[in-house]
Amino acid sequence: MILTQTTAFLVDAYRELNARKMFWITLGLSLLVVAIMGCFGVNDKGLTFLGWTFNNDILNARLIPPEKFYIFVFANLGVPIWLTWAATVLALISTASIFPDFIQGGAIELTLCRPIGRVRLFFTKFACGLLFVALQVFVFSLACFIVIGIRGKSWVPDLFLAVPIVLLFFTYLFSFCVLVGLVTRSTLASILFTCLFWLALFVLNTTDGIFVSQRAAKEIAVERAERTIEVRTRGAERMRQRLIDAGQPLPAKDAWPEGAQSELEAISLPLLNARKELAEASESRDNWVKYSGWVFLAKTVLPKTSETIALLDRAILTDKDRELFSPPGADDEPAPGDEEAGSGRRRGPQMGDPAVTRRAEKIIRQRSQWWITGTSAAFAGVLLAIGAWIFARRDF
């Protein structure tokens, strides 16, 4: 009986989605995006689009296998840009009215006359909203699976991991949208506040990325300063030995330069400067570690939308695959000409440097998948529990 009722609600939800123009518009746009993706490709010379070839020394089939190119586009452009931005907005517009219309249009009175619990009714209606996204993502993934199989000569079933991952991502937003809809009984308010909530998550995630990049830059600066000190310490020791061999006096302690803590630093000014740079870099690194820790704590109690979508990239692209798309020279060694003009001091690594970008990505990718999905799902679960309680207790 319970299963029959629930199935009937889901079938009704599908019929309702089928009758909505937005569902078919979104589906058509998804297929159009896949078709455009399929028009691009790589050959030995560079990128291709339909019959045209655009020479490229980095993106070409000699360096990047075609199947890896399409998988990368799917995981880093198709899903993050289309499914989790444009298609999600359209999905919110289509599903935000489910609860406000249900509790305002008189349909709820007819439904509650049937022998069905309010909590089960609430979660059944919520599942109906997820059905919209599930169908869209499945069709998009299936189309990409076919395109990559034909164009890239590689059949990758892992592409269908996009369905549960994007569905989990949408659950974070839809649970918030449903709660606002129950409280305000307004579709417009649901969409507006959900978009503001989504924007706040985006700002927090952007802040996290900036802070992690700053932390990575300072960590690299500390490592470079330590390597510099090793080299200059050996040079200072040789200089000291030459002074001793020549019978020249070593600098008296009261004649040491300001800040010198050892005889070697008194002998070698470059070594003294390197130790000062290390102290400054270490202090700055510790500060950024602390700041990024505060942002990490804030993210722990909120949904991780961007990192949830990034799980797809982790699943279908290995670190070796990602290196194919990394900028050249992305290492932790200082670049030639990395000295500040006229100062003799090395210019520290900056945000956007390949080494910093790679280190920051490594820090973020090391975050536990259970932390990303578990804490985010817990947040959505709390919102759904509150929504179910309101739905069960309120007199409509």
Side-chain angles (χ1 to χ4, degrees):
M1 181 65 177
I2 294 178
L3 181 60
T4 302
Q5 290 176 338
T6 304
T7 303
F9 274 112
L10 291 175
V11 171
D12 287 341
Y14 172 77
R15 290 173 178 170
E16 183 178 353
L17 289 176
N18 189 51
R20 294 190 180 193
K21 293 182 179 179
M22 186 62 71
F23 176 80
W24 294 104
I25 291 174
T26 307
L27 191 61
L29 290 175
S30 293
L31 295 176
L32 177 61
V33 170
V34 176
I36 294 174
M37 287 172 52
C39 292
F40 284 93
V42 289
N43 59 20
D44 291 342
K45 295 182 179 180
L47 284 172
T48 65
F49 180 76
L50 296 178
W52 293 285
T53 297
F54 304 92
N55 294 338
N56 194 302
D57 295 332
I58 299 176
L59 293 176
N60 57 66
R62 289 179 284 106
L63 299 177
I64 301 173
E67 66 273 14
K68 298 300 182 183
F69 170 78
Y70 284 110
I71 293 173
F72 182 85
V73 171
F74 174 81
N76 291 272
L77 296 177
V79 172
I81 294 179
W82 170 247
L83 286 184
T84 59
W85 283 101
T88 296
V89 171
L90 296 176
L92 284 173
I93 293 174
S94 297
T95 59
S97 62
I98 290 178
F99 279 90
D101 289 352
F102 184 60
I103 62 180
Q104 277 190 335
I108 188 171
E109 287 83 359
L110 295 175
T111 304
L112 292 179
C113 291
R114 304 173 185 176
I116 181 172
R118 286 197 174 196
V119 173
R120 182 157 61 90
L121 176 59
F122 172 82
F123 283 103
T124 302
K125 297 292 287 186
F126 181 80
C128 294
L130 297 183
L131 183 62
F132 181 101
V133 177
L135 292 173
Q136 297 287 344
V137 180
F138 177 78
V139 172
F140 182 84
S141 301
L142 178 61
C144 288
F145 176 76
I146 296 173
V147 167
I148 294 175
I150 296 174
R151 295 276 285 156
K153 303 297 189 294
S154 178
W155 302 94
V156 187
D158 287 347
L159 297 182
F160 291 99
L161 289 173
V163 179
I165 288 175
V166 175
L167 201 60
L168 182 62
F169 156 82
F170 185 75
T171 300
Y172 309 154
L173 301 177
F174 191 46
S175 60
F176 184 87
C177 182
V178 167
L179 181 59
V180 174
L182 285 173
V183 173
T184 64
R185 302 192 181 193
S186 169
T187 300
L188 181 60
S190 300
I191 297 173
L192 176 62
F193 281 104
T194 302
C195 288
L196 291 175
F197 174 65
W198 192 6
L199 176 62
L201 295 178
F202 173 77
V203 171
L204 180 62
N205 185 73
T206 302
T207 303
D208 178 52
I210 293 173
F211 282 23
V212 169
S213 294
Q214 289 287 1
R215 168 189 164 184
K218 301 310 175 183
E219 288 179 351
I220 294 174
V222 168
E223 294 168 4
R224 291 181 180 178
E226 290 173 343
R227 291 196 295 267
T228 300
I229 287 174
E230 291 178 2
V231 173
R232 290 180 176 173
T233 297
R234 291 194 294 268
E237 290 173 346
R238 290 193 295 268
M239 186 181 299
R240 180 178 181 275
Q241 188 60 45
R242 285 197 297 267
L243 291 175
I244 294 175
D245 294 342
Q248 297 181 11
L250 300 176
K253 190 169 185 179
D254 56 0
W256 286 3
E258 182 181 355
Q261 300 294 323
S262 67
E263 195 173 61
L264 291 179
E265 293 178 5
I267 294 173
S268 173
L269 187 59
L271 175 60
L272 176 60
N273 290 334
R275 291 199 182 279
K276 290 180 179 179
E277 290 178 18
L278 175 61
E280 293 172 1
S282 298
E283 181 181 3
S284 182
R285 176 201 59 189
D286 294 341
N287 287 334
W288 282 110
V289 168
K290 178 174 63 177
Y291 301 151
S292 63
W294 291 344
V295 177
F296 180 84
L297 183 61
K299 291 189 67 172
T300 298
V301 298
L302 292 171
K304 273 67 70 180
T305 52
S306 298
E307 284 166 297
T308 298
I309 294 301
L311 292 177
L312 180 63
D313 180 81
R314 290 195 199 184
I316 64 179
L317 285 172
T318 64
D319 291 338
K320 186 176 181 180
D321 293 335
R322 290 178 57 82
E323 289 177 1
L324 297 173
F325 301 90
S326 298
D331 51 46
D332 290 347
E333 296 297 329
D338 208 22
E339 302 282 332
E340 291 183 0
S343 68
R345 291 169 61 94
R346 199 188 322 275
R347 178 181 63 85
Q350 306 295 316
M351 286 182 58
D353 287 356
V356 174
T357 300
R358 176 172 290 187
R359 179 70 65 90
E361 289 178 352
K362 182 178 179 180
I363 292 172
I364 293 176
R365 285 171 69 89
Q366 286 176 340
R367 293 174 177 175
S368 168
Q369 296 182 17
W370 293 110
W371 173 79
I372 295 171
T373 59
T375 56
S376 301
F379 179 89
V382 170
L383 295 186
L384 288 176
I386 296 173
W389 182 80
I390 293 174
F391 190 80
R393 302 278 296 183
R394 176 173 289 181
D395 184 9
F396 296 103

